[in-house]
């Protein structure tokens, strides 16, 4: 066997070793293993991301919900990444997601089988993250999307996510409130999207500033539900910060501020 062929074989063996380790071993605290939530097609997607060099290691789950699980991963140079995997077995979630896709002019010719919907949902989150980032709204930087898997910047350090506002109140709530209003306006005016599910559960404090995540349900401002969803975001924001004794602006005024010229 030539040296080149031996190197290729060794590289392949290492990839398989990392994949098998990922599938059967959860690195942290006996959390639910990757194997329990991956179907065969998803395993192949993750393996392809490993094989392409986008991912080097996939470690334990850092968050878990009915529709998706998020794993801490790393690149070969040790950079932290988040791998969000939408569960193709979530039939209940499938029913609820259609209202956020249908009516969004960015997505047409929608296939309604579960895998196609989950793939579209992942693409939707990736696109929303990219458009928000381009509008200078702090969000996790999107890295890659393939089928029902989204790879993005990990917000935190060494597998420990940054705290959400639900978990830890900001030191200067009035300043954070004003920053978030600015971000909502940028989403609307520059990215042309509405978050749609904004609350203390999906805002993190990172490096002294609020950062918005979970943009999968975000819709175009042309969506029939966009106005309703924007108002809901503003109500949620005012509810949270009023509890922290911030003198919040009435929702009607905020709405004019966000959508006005």
């Amino acid at each position: 066997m030539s040296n080149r062929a031996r190197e290729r074989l060794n590289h392949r063996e290492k990839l398989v070793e990392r994949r098998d380790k990922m599938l059967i071993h959860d690195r942290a605290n006996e959390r639910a293993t990757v194997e329990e939530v991956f179907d065969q097609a998803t395993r192949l997607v993750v393996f392809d991301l490993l094989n392409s060099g986008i991912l080097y290691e996939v470690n334990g789950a850092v968050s878990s919900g009915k529709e998706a699980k998020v794993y801490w991963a790393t690149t070969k140079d040790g950079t932290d990444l988040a791998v969000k995997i939408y569960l193709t077995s979530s039939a209940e979630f499938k029913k609820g997601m259609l209202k956020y896709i249908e009516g969004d002019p960015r997505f047409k010719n929608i296939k309604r089988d579960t895998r196609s919907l989950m793939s579209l949902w992942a693409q939707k989150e990736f696109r929303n993250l990219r458009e928000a980032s381009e509008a200078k709204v702090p969000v996790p930087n999107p890295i890659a999307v393939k089928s029902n898997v989204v790879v993005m910047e990990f917000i935190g350090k060494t597998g420990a996510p940054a705290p959400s506002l639900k978990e830890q109140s900001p030191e200067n709530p009035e300043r954070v409130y004003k920053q978030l209003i600015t971000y909502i306006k940028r989403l609307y005016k520059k990215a042309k999207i509405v978050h749609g599910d904004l609350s203390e559960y999906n805002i993190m404090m990172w490096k002294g500033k609020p950062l918005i995540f979970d943009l999968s349900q975000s819709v175009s401002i042309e969506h029939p539900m966009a106005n309703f969803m924007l108002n809901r975001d503003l109500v949620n924001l005012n509810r949270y910060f009023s509890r922290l004794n911030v003198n919040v602006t009435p929702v009607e005024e905020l709405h004019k501020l966000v959508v006005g010229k």
Side-chain angles (χ1 to χ4, degrees), residues 25-28 31 34 58-62 70-73:
H25 177 65
D26 187 343
R27 185 165 171 165
R31 297 184 181 110
V34 174
V58 179
N59 304 301
V62 294
V70 179
Y71 292 85
W72 166 45

Side-chain angles (χ1 to χ4, degrees), residues 63 67-72 81-87 121-122 125 129 144 146-152 213-217:
S63 72
E67 71 276 2
K69 290 183 181 288
V70 179
Y71 292 85
W72 166 45
L81 295 175
V83 180
K84 188 170 186 176
I85 301 173
Y86 285 101
L87 309 180
W121 197 253
E125 176 157 35
L129 287 170
K146 187 175 179 65
S147 187
N148 58 317
V149 180
V150 185
V151 181
M152 66 189 81
F213 64 102
D214 278 349
L215 274 75
S216 56
Q217 73 293 317

Side-chain angles (χ1 to χ4, degrees), residues 183-252:
Y183 298 159
I184 292 172
K185 185 175 181 178
R186 287 178 186 171
L187 282 176
Y188 193 94
K189 301 294 287 186
K190 295 183 178 181
K192 307 294 185 184
I193 58 176
V194 173
H195 186 283
D197 192 31
L198 194 63
S199 74
E200 63 270 26
Y201 290 91
N202 44 38
I203 301 169
M204 290 176 168
M205 290 302 298
W206 182 238
K207 298 181 179 180
K209 295 182 179 181
L211 178 143
I212 297 171
F213 64 102
D214 278 349
L215 274 75
S216 56
Q217 73 293 317
S218 301
V219 299
S220 163
I221 60 174
E222 297 179 40
H223 190 284
M225 292 176 57
N227 192 61
F228 167 80
M229 293 169 70
L230 173 61
N231 274 314
R232 184 171 63 185
D233 288 349
L234 297 174
V235 168
N236 285 343
L237 207 63
N238 276 4
R239 173 189 47 77
Y240 174 79
F241 281 96
S242 63
R243 292 176 181 173
L244 301 180
N245 298 317
V246 173
N247 185 22
V248 300
T249 304
V251 169
E252 294 78 9

